[in-house]
Amino acid sequence: MKSPLLERPIFHHLEKRTQTHIFLCVLAYHLLVAIEKRFLDRGVHTSWWTLRGQLRTHQVVTVVLPTKEGKVLKIRKGTTPEPMHRESMRRCRYRRRS
């Protein structure tokens, strides 16, 4: 059976970590279902795995610059979306921040 859950054993030794792990898995699953539903509501019949594969090439770059004072300046910037990325974002009604 194929499933986006990809169940596997949890190897945490503390109960609190196990509970946190399960909570994060459920939260991620709800996000996955919400994304698929949003696309389905807009007439796009696709799976999360297909969307993920299409959006995989859109990246965020972090430039790390050391200063003379010994501090580190980090600049994080997303790459310019390709037409395929813009179409997926448009269908999901995602607005890119400037």
Side-chain angles (χ1 to χ4, degrees):
M1 176 175 103
K2 289 189 177 181
S3 162
L5 294 177
L6 298 173
E7 303 89 3
R8 59 180 185 230
I10 301 172
F11 297 105
H12 294 295
H13 298 286
L14 301 175
E15 182 181 349
K16 199 172 197 176
R17 288 186 182 167
T18 302
Q19 290 173 350
T20 302
H21 181 96
I22 292 170
F23 172 77
L24 290 173
C25 289
V26 170
L27 184 64
Y29 183 71
H30 279 283
L31 181 61
L32 180 146
V33 170
I35 290 169
E36 285 183 341
K37 183 174 181 337
R38 182 170 260 197
F39 275 85
L40 191 58
D41 290 348
R42 286 162 180 78
V44 180
H45 299 274
T46 188
S47 69
W48 163 248
W49 296 108
T50 302
L51 291 169
R52 183 174 172 243
Q54 291 172 349
L55 297 174
R56 177 176 282 158
T57 57
H58 184 67
Q59 299 182 5
V60 175
V61 178
T62 303
V63 179
V64 180
L65 303 168
T67 65
K68 290 181 181 179
E69 296 81 30
K71 296 183 179 180
V72 176
L73 177 64
K74 293 182 182 179
I75 303 169
R76 196 162 169 88
K77 182 82 172 142
T79 58
T80 303
E82 296 174 19
M84 171 183 44
H85 302 139
R86 284 195 296 271
E87 178 62 19
S88 291
M89 291 175 194
R90 184 190 67 76
R91 288 186 178 219
C92 194
R93 293 201 178 144
Y94 170 79
R95 287 175 180 72
R96 185 175 173 213
R97 292 186 286 176
S98 302

